[in-house]
Amino acid sequence: MKPRLFHFDDERRGMVVHRHDTPQPWINYLSNGRLHAFVSQAGGGMLWWRSPLRFRLTRYRAYNLPIDSPGFYLYIRHPDGTVWSPTFRPVETVLDEWSACHQPGRTVFVAEKVGVRVKLTFFIPPGTDALVWDVRLENSAGKAQELDLFAYAEFSQFEWEQELRGGYYTRHMMKTWMCREANALVYLDHDAKPYFALKPTVYFLSSDEIHSYSGDRDDFIGNYRHENAPQSVLAGRCNDSALATGHPCGALHNKVVVPAGGHYRLHYCLGVVTGCNGSIEDAETGVVKATANLRSAGWPDGSLEVLEAWWSDHFSAYQCAVPDPVAMRQINTWNPVNTVTAARFSRGINTWAPGTRGVGFRDTAQDMVAIAYRSPGWAIEGMRYLLSQQFEEGHTVHTCFPEDFRPSSRSDRSDNHLWLAPLLWAILAETRDFGILDETIPYLAPDCSGKGTEATVWEHMCAAVRFTENHLGRHGLPLTLRSDWNDLIGKFNKRGEGETVFAGFQHVLALKRLAEIARHTGRTEDLRWFEECRARQEAALLSHAWDGSWWRRGYDDDGNPVGSVNSKGGNLFLNPQSWAILAGVGTREQQFAGMDAVAEQLDIGYGLKLLHPPFGGWDSDAETLIGYGPGCGENGAVFCHANTWAIIAEATLGNGTRAWKYHNQLIPRNVIERLGAETYRAEPNAWVSNIVGPGNPRMGWGNVEHVTGTAAWMDIAATQYLLGVRAELDGLWVDPCLPTKWNAINVRRKYLGCKVDIEILNPEGVEKGVVEASAGGSAVNVTEGKAVFAPELFEGVGELRIMVRMGRL
Ligand code: NOJ
């Protein structure tokens, strides 16, 4: 029988993998916000500095066989020629013990072979741009063990697209050598580009004496050989080879003796310095300076502590205690880890995604909402950047490349700009710093070449409203343009006359958020305008979006409804049903009816399909969503990102049972329990964008791991709508929606600098409705079943205990 595949170690906030052969790579991201890596359970991985397009430091061959390679490899060679790797890959020797543990910001391998036990920890410290390989060896054999250690990584040519296109020329510009003064292998690229000054120089050092080295991949591995048996490792030493053209690598060889029953510890740093301008002399000076303190024995411990403190601070913004350990783990640990990943890498990079996509405007606008309540400063920076990508007419770019030295790309969509108001609102709710509305940020020039005219943050918001108001179709609904949130929906809009109900609901929500801010800051003229626009849009939705039993998805070029009972395929779409509730449009009966249709037709037990039935095939023009096979992606997969809005919708309606069902059934660990890891394939601790639905033989396969909007919205859904603790403009709301079996839960959350301890009691086992509340022992008014705690209660207060009691209203 195969050993179990994985388990969670909640004490360490870890996911421990027990077999290297997971159904596909299960990765962890290591990053300090500048230098980034991912590493898999088998030691596969990639390192890049700022941009995986421009400054890709090591190679990773996505899609090629063998999967998940190369990576960050350590070879351990015994005097009798036995060779093994604590990551299992690349040597693949059968080990006496092996596990890999992904934790926030670090991955730890523990492996044992012939009495030698290794603990290998990879991490990137907040203050140092280096991937650290911290190696601890333990010898349980009765005699001292002499070992040869080889640490190895294959270098990329930095400019990844250029490498694919012209690497056979640019390889003449790559150079590696041993810098004796720094005692480090250095890798430099002479290929001049406008951003040459920023190009990093790579160094690879060991805390121990380097016995031999190689900077030349072909020399280290040997001709027609594999990474599992490099000729240098077999020979027990490298050839001390530098590289002046060819395939660069970093290989460092140390000789160590681990005493009988004793320990040995050493580390490697694979890092970067900048500002060398292609000069060998400057590179050497830079590396000597940057690495001066990195070799001391205790250095990794101190760096790990700083890393740990960063994550503790991030987690401490919101933690809960609830009776469901699986949900609790997801909410307390893996959601906040995943929201950082998505915020850092947008939709760009994982083992399949090559990192060339840049930053999706709508994607980052959503990701930042989940960052706003944990790290408002980061969310404000994100918003500022996004506003610099908005045109004066109010709409925005679709994709931008803040780190890639590449112009933003224009592709007019109906929704991108509509995500701005909810982001601003979330930031204001958290910080209450309304001064930001008057900050000026230039628009983007119409040709995306640089800065356009200046405008305040508030003017940016008004411009977004104006754009939608100027782009309404024949039913008064927003024109779809190239698409709305759903990338493929523009296929109903070939002549530019299609309309989108989803963006209509979004427009209403944006107008409501802006109206609230306008009311709060005395902007009466704008408030009136927003109210008029909202009333018109709501009227259009009520007249043209309701299909009789559910909300339609929109209209095609010819004015035929999309997502209607008579449509050919895609009769029912998920998003309009949930967004009617998020936007607060329609009667309660309509809202319930839409969500009932979802429960009946879209819930398949491990999630809600995006639409039903899927469009049929690839070859018919009438099948408008052609391209994606039935059950795949936007054509009827379980679209996890969109499931999050259904959870919020059900929580808003007060359907605790359904809201928690939709939440829990999608938690990756629960999907794996239900379908099996071999079917789901993706990680048990990270969200995916979508899961292949019925109609496809790969039903149940989780796609687009980690870098997905599911991460931000699942976090928001759980913390702010299910547990119901969220900042709004008038204070901290406690508005939970719980399973009836939960009689008491606790939330600890930071708000306006105060540590708030929130006791939520539910003695009658209701799903929704607060009947009593107090702060610091004094009663607080409850209206319409919600407790709103005024900001003044928290300002300047270090800690506060609040209590709410739920009950029948
Ligand atoms: C993935 C894209 O990154 C995102 O922008 C889009 O909203 C969803 N797919 C749905 O189409």
Side-chain angles (χ1 to χ4, degrees), residues 402-624:
E403 298 281 26
D404 299 329
F405 308 96
R406 175 181 265 199
S408 301
S409 82
R410 195 168 172 155
S411 152
D412 298 354
R413 317 273 169 144
S414 51
D415 72 313
N416 277 317
H417 54 288
L418 292 175
W419 295 103
L420 286 172
L423 172 58
L424 172 68
W425 183 90
I427 289 171
L428 292 176
E430 208 53 50
T431 61
R432 309 190 59 71
D433 179 5
F434 293 90
I436 199 169
L437 298 175
D438 300 316
E439 201 181 296
T440 53
I441 295 171
Y443 289 115
L444 186 63
D447 61 358
C448 298
S449 62
K451 292 182 185 171
T453 49
E454 294 269 339
T456 63
V457 167
W458 186 247
E459 284 163 350
H460 277 269
M461 297 296 147
C462 295
V465 171
R466 243 185 329 270
F467 182 81
T468 298
E469 285 293 309
N470 290 337
H471 291 80
L472 299 175
R474 53 162 86 92
H475 297 93
L477 302 170
L479 288 170
T480 308
L481 307 180
R482 179 85 190 270
S483 82
D484 59 24
W485 168 88
N486 184 333
D487 293 320
L488 299 188
I489 213 75
K491 295 195 174 179
F492 293 101
N493 176 44
K494 294 195 174 115
R495 296 199 309 276
E497 291 180 56
E499 291 164 279
T500 152
V501 164
F502 186 175
F505 287 135
Q506 268 193 282
H507 190 37
V508 170
L509 180 68
L511 287 163
K512 284 185 173 173
R513 296 300 199 211
L514 292 176
E516 253 188 89
I517 301 170
R519 205 173 291 119
H520 208 89
T521 54
R523 292 171 156 88
T524 41
E525 275 292 294
D526 292 332
L527 173 60
R528 194 164 338 114
W529 176 48
F530 296 148
E531 294 287 350
E532 284 165 14
C533 299
R534 182 185 56 78
R536 267 199 309 273
Q537 186 57 216
E538 278 200 35
L541 287 161
L542 291 173
S543 308
H544 303 294
W546 184 247
D547 197 56
S549 301
W550 56 73
W551 300 96
R552 294 174 176 168
R553 186 63 176 78
Y555 286 90
D556 68 12
D557 282 318
D558 301 316
N560 301 314
V562 177
S564 163
V565 71
N566 295 321
S567 303
K568 280 210 249 153
N571 302 97
L572 172 68
F573 280 72
L574 173 60
N575 287 334
Q577 319 315 320
S578 52
W579 270 82
I581 297 159
L582 269 62
V585 175
T587 62
R588 248 180 113 67
E589 288 69 32
Q590 286 174 311
Q591 297 181 347
F592 272 95
M595 293 312 292
D596 284 346
V598 166
E600 281 153 25
Q601 298 188 46
L602 304 184
D603 183 10
I604 56 169
Y606 60 87
L608 307 173
K609 296 188 296 176
L610 192 61
L611 56 87
H612 179 78
F615 296 87
W618 282 275
D619 48 1
S620 156
D621 231 14
E623 306 282 13
T624 321

Side-chain angles (χ1 to χ4, degrees), residues 347 357 362-363 366 398 485-488 634 639 641:
R347 307 293 172 266
R357 245 189 96 174
R362 73 159 80 100
D363 304 327
Q366 294 170 75
H398 188 56
W485 168 88
N486 184 333
D487 293 320
L488 299 188
E634 279 86 340
F639 221 97
H641 184 161

